[in-house]
Amino acid sequence: MTETTEPRGPIVGIDLGTTNSVVAIVVDGQPRVLDEAGETLLPSIVGINPQGQLVTGVAARNQLAAFPDRTVASIKRRMGSMEPVPLGDQSFTPPEISAMILRKLRDRAGRALGRPVSRAVITVPAFFDESQRQATREAAALAGVTAGRIINEPTAATLVYHANSHDRKHIAVYDFGGGTFDVSIVRLEAGVIEVLSSHGDVRLGGDDLDAKLLDHVADAFQTEHGVDLRASAQAKYRLLQSCEQAKRRLSTEETVQIAEEFIAEKDGQPLHLTATITRQEFENLIEPFIERTIQSVDTALRDAGLTTHQIDDLVLVGGSTRIPLVEERLRDEFQREPSRAVDPDLAVALGAAVQAAMIDGRAVGSVLVDVTGHTLGIEACVSMSFLGPEMAFSPIIHRNSPLPARYEQAYSTMHDDQEEVIIHVLQGERPEVHRNRSVGKFRLQLDPGGGARSKIVVRFDLTLDGTLKVTATQPATGLSRELIIDNALSQFQADARGAAEERLEDLFDASEELIDDEDPPSLKEWRADDSESNADSPAETGPPPSPMFQEAAALLTKAQAARSTVSGQDAQDLELLCNNLKQALADDDPAAVAAVGAELEDFLFYVR
Ligand code: AMP
């Protein structure tokens, strides 16, 4: 008797999700998603169309509203039960429905790879019990896929970021998808990943946020027109689609419009819907949901016997983690930047692919991703006191954000009828403005008749090559200005810059003999304009001058250099500012030095 060995085809990783499913494979040591006509996500929806044919994914989603009896979504919630699910005039068990999705993914993978696929690593939530895992194995078998292994979703997500890590680490995986939320605390040790605890809510997801927004918009429409859009299945469906889109856009935009023409009728007249939603309004609506997820995080940590300080990495999974409020709350809670370099919709499938490659004994490299290495933002006033405005760094794009990135943030002017705002773009991680790197500055002229404190929206678009486009807009007037900054990322970190500045300073000092008669005046000379009689002035014998005075002196040096480049009114203004600064220095008046110094710095920036 001879033993025949079956050829082992490629082994893929499959995220069989509640809302969407994804298939991926490791190629050349890197996990990659296998797409179909550019679509990476397959909606986890199946249906039987009126012609009696099976439809899956987008085609099934498209018929959901028209043929709800012929379409099934979110079957994952029913895995573990064998109760039949009606589909048209037939009915199927949950594993059978899941098998239809797996079959579609298997075929997608086969087409993308050009050879049949029959093996997969499939992920399930950490909280799935044995009957739910068994149902998943059965679904795979029905789809003609050998489930090489069923692994936990948080384990897969951890593998994407830490496949090659052998250190002992604790990782929190926060997974907020369309229909479910869960958080797992995972221990990674000697290449073994163990889920220590898991907590969540199988009835909490992005769908709830859509429903909340829908209620908000529908309530306002009802108050205005006396028509409840929720009463008509079609109007409700259209509004839900619009709200879901609006929710997504609010993750990067400050304000969105929802517009649906001919959405209802009253007294024979068509009614149109237009609504404006701000991110702040949306955040107020969804805050209770986000708080529930944070409570789950606390419970999972408690169950694992750990505190937030003992967590080495926080991994974000699921489309709903793109919501800025989610990230913000987690940043507060853990006091660290979350890892979201890998697309949160794809992380689980990519991790399943990594596990699949490992089963096959193939090496997997560190996952290559493009992320911002620094936080980018602007200088903004955080509070007003009798001493004047307190300015701080206000982040817009956080460190570790995947590229390309686009975020916007709303601010307001500091005074009524303000005539201009200065957008000072900074890069760094410190709240104090001066501890970050200044990467650009521009002025947006405002409409002086604008009245009360006006809203200014600042948008950052950061490309893969590190080019940052900053746009400031006054929505009330449409006034807008933009600045393009090349290499916004590729330069020194704030700390490194300080050291580099010092190094250069030393170098310049050492080269002083190169400077001829036009030597800029030294600090001592500036402070003691009538210097002859001041040989024993405190500047010479007392303690070294403060950094502020040193900065002022450096500014005056720059001003000296700029003299040859300005003329007319500019030259007069420059002279006046220099004299005022010299006077402030001579008076030993730090407040005046700071104020005039800032004015001079601005002036030099614009005449540069
Ligand atoms: P998942 O189940 O992980 O595929 O997540 C899908 C959920 O993420 C849906 O509720 C989507 O509406 C939501 N989602 C996807 N992209 C975004 C986004 N940019 N902002 C907010 N929610 C999003």
Side-chain angles (χ1 to χ4, degrees):
M1 201 165 77
T2 53
E3 194 181 302
T4 53
T5 46
E6 230 183 35
R8 286 153 53 93
I11 175 163
V12 294
I14 291 180
D15 169 11
L16 187 58
T18 309
T19 318
N20 293 301
S21 295
V22 182
V23 56
I25 194 166
V26 170
V27 183
D28 298 333
Q30 285 287 307
R32 304 232 185 289
V33 167
L34 299 171
D35 67 311
E36 196 162 343
E39 293 293 334
T40 49
L41 306 181
L42 176 78
S44 304
I45 305 177
V46 298
I48 305 278
N49 70 13
Q51 293 76 45
Q53 294 158 325
L54 176 69
V55 285
T56 11
V58 175
R61 190 177 60 198
N62 290 345
Q63 70 161 44
L64 187 61
F67 306 111
D69 302 341
R70 294 180 157 275
T71 319
V72 179
S74 304
I75 194 64
K76 189 169 171 179
R77 291 185 193 279
R78 302 196 219 180
M79 291 293 268
S81 132
M82 288 306 263
E83 206 170 302
V85 179
L87 202 58
D89 47 16
Q90 307 175 55
S91 65
F92 299 91
T93 61
E96 285 171 324
I97 308 254
S98 285
M100 297 170 194
I101 300 165
L102 285 171
R103 178 61 186 252
K104 179 86 176 172
L105 292 169
R106 188 195 83 156
D107 292 349
R108 170 183 281 197
R111 263 195 302 278
L113 298 171
R115 55 202 167 123
V117 170
S118 61
R119 295 189 302 147
V121 167
I122 302 174
T123 58
V124 293
F127 59 77
F128 255 27
D129 62 22
E130 196 37 49
S131 72
Q132 292 166 307
R133 285 165 199 262
Q134 186 53 31
T136 308
R137 275 186 211 103
E138 276 158 14
L142 289 169
V145 174
T146 309
R149 197 171 292 175
I150 300 281
I151 65 167
N152 289 321
E153 288 162 5
T155 302
T158 301
L159 272 172
V160 187
Y161 287 95
H162 300 279
N164 293 316
S165 176
H166 287 274
D167 301 339
R168 181 187 160 104
K169 278 187 189 143
H170 288 116
I171 293 147
V173 181
Y174 177 100
D175 184 348
F176 195 12
T180 60
F181 162 75
D182 59 87
V183 54
S184 301
I185 309 299
V186 168
R187 181 164 56 212
L188 181 64
E189 196 163 22
V192 176
I193 298 173
E194 185 190 353
V195 178
L196 298 181
S197 67
S198 212
H199 197 266
D201 189 335
V202 287
R203 304 251 160 239
L204 173 61
D207 298 348
D208 297 282
L209 314 184
D210 303 342
K212 190 78 191 167
L213 185 55
L214 181 145
D215 276 338
H216 174 77
V217 177
D219 284 349
F221 190 87
Q222 193 166 9
T223 308
E224 193 183 342
H225 300 286
V227 174
D228 186 358
L229 293 174
R230 289 157 289 206
S232 142
Q234 214 205 4
K236 184 175 172 187
Y237 178 73
R238 276 178 66 190
L239 183 55
L240 191 61
Q241 300 285 92
S242 265
C243 287
E244 202 262 346
Q245 287 305 318
K247 172 189 75 173
R248 285 174 186 252
R249 286 188 15 235
L250 282 168
S251 291
T252 54
E253 293 166 37
E254 272 296 326
T255 309
V256 300
Q257 296 274 349
I258 294 179
E260 287 289 333
E261 291 192 323
F262 302 100
I263 193 156
E265 222 183 67
K266 191 179 176 189
D267 306 329
Q269 293 299 313
L271 293 176
H272 312 298
L273 164 77
T274 45
T276 302
I277 313 287
T278 66
R279 189 186 296 163
Q280 186 59 58
E281 279 170 331
F282 178 62
E283 289 183 348
N284 293 343
L285 291 173
I286 65 166
E287 202 177 340
F289 294 110
I290 310 303
E291 283 316 309
R292 267 164 63 189
T293 71
I294 299 295
Q295 280 163 18
S296 278
V297 169
D298 292 342
T299 308
L301 279 168
R302 225 181 9 256
D303 291 351
L306 296 171
T307 66
T308 47
H309 305 294
Q310 291 167 291
I311 296 297
D312 302 295
D313 192 11
L314 167 63
V315 171
L316 300 190
V317 177
S320 301
T321 60
R322 291 203 180 89
I323 296 171
L325 181 63
V326 169
E327 209 183 310
E328 209 174 287
R329 283 295 288 114
L330 289 170
R331 199 178 287 118
D332 284 354
E333 196 72 9
F334 285 87
Q335 294 293 309
R336 63 162 51 246
E337 282 300 317
S339 286
R340 55 186 201 100
V342 174
D343 185 329
D345 286 319
L346 310 179
V348 169
L350 292 169
V354 169
Q355 177 72 77
M358 285 171 158
I359 289 175
D360 257 3
R362 283 187 289 138
V364 181
S366 302
V367 177
L368 300 175
V369 283
D370 285 303
V371 293
T372 57
H374 304 290
T375 301
L376 289 159
I378 62 164
E379 178 177 354
C381 170
V382 282
S383 68
M384 277 283 199
S385 74
F386 64 94
L387 287 173
E390 191 198 330
M391 306 304 280
F393 177 42
S394 164
I396 295 182
I397 297 182
H398 284 273
R399 183 155 55 123
N400 280 342
S401 296
L403 294 178
R406 176 184 187 217
Y407 286 90
E408 54 178 58
Q409 188 85 44
Y411 299 87
S412 66
T413 53
M414 292 197 317
H415 316 285
D416 293 349
D417 286 322
Q418 197 167 311
E419 291 181 5
E420 60 174 28
V421 284
I422 305 279
I423 307 293
H424 183 194
V425 184
L426 300 164
Q427 177 221 79
E429 314 304 326
R430 305 284 169 75
E432 304 87 355
V433 170
H434 72 277
R435 297 183 75 186
N436 298 290
R437 194 169 76 88
S438 168
V439 289
K441 213 181 224 185
F442 66 101
R443 202 180 285 261
L444 172 66
Q445 222 66 44
L446 302 177
D447 197 344
R453 289 172 62 174
S454 175
K455 186 166 136 183
I456 307 293
V457 175
V458 180
R459 191 170 81 209
F460 276 25
D461 283 280
L462 184 60
T463 63
L464 268 171
D465 64 7
T467 305
L468 175 68
K469 183 166 96 178
V470 180
T471 316
T473 311
Q474 184 183 32
T477 57
L479 287 167
S480 182
R481 208 170 155 194
E482 69 179 42
L483 172 73
I484 309 262
I485 303 166
D486 294 328
N487 288 326
L489 293 172
S490 65
Q491 304 181 20
F492 300 117
Q493 291 194 30
D495 291 346
R497 178 177 52 106
E501 272 175 354
E502 266 175 44
R503 263 197 320 276
L504 288 179
E505 204 76 54
D506 290 344
L507 204 64
F508 291 148
D509 284 348
S511 315
E512 233 156 43
E513 69 270 18
L514 298 178
I515 303 170
D516 60 326
D517 301 347
E518 298 258 331
D519 255 1
S522 69
L523 173 63
K524 190 176 73 186
E525 284 160 355
W526 286 121
R527 295 196 65 186
D529 233 11
D530 46 347
S531 49
E532 303 91 298
S533 59
N534 251 335
D536 287 324
S537 72
E540 201 166 35
T541 55
S546 73
M548 184 194 282
F549 281 86
Q550 284 182 358
E551 267 172 38
L555 257 180
L556 287 166
T557 307
K558 270 200 226 161
Q560 176 105 339
R563 272 186 185 138
S564 59
T565 63
V566 292
S567 57
Q569 185 62 45
D570 280 348
Q572 283 176 27
D573 289 348
L574 179 61
E575 207 54 48
L576 184 67
L577 282 169
C578 286
N579 286 339
N580 289 349
L581 186 53
K582 281 189 244 172
Q583 187 59 51
L585 285 166
D587 294 346
D588 235 350
D589 181 349
V593 171
V596 185
E599 234 180 306
L600 179 56
E601 190 171 28
D602 265 352
F603 181 94
L604 291 173
F605 179 83
Y606 287 106
V607 297
R608 216 173 40 175

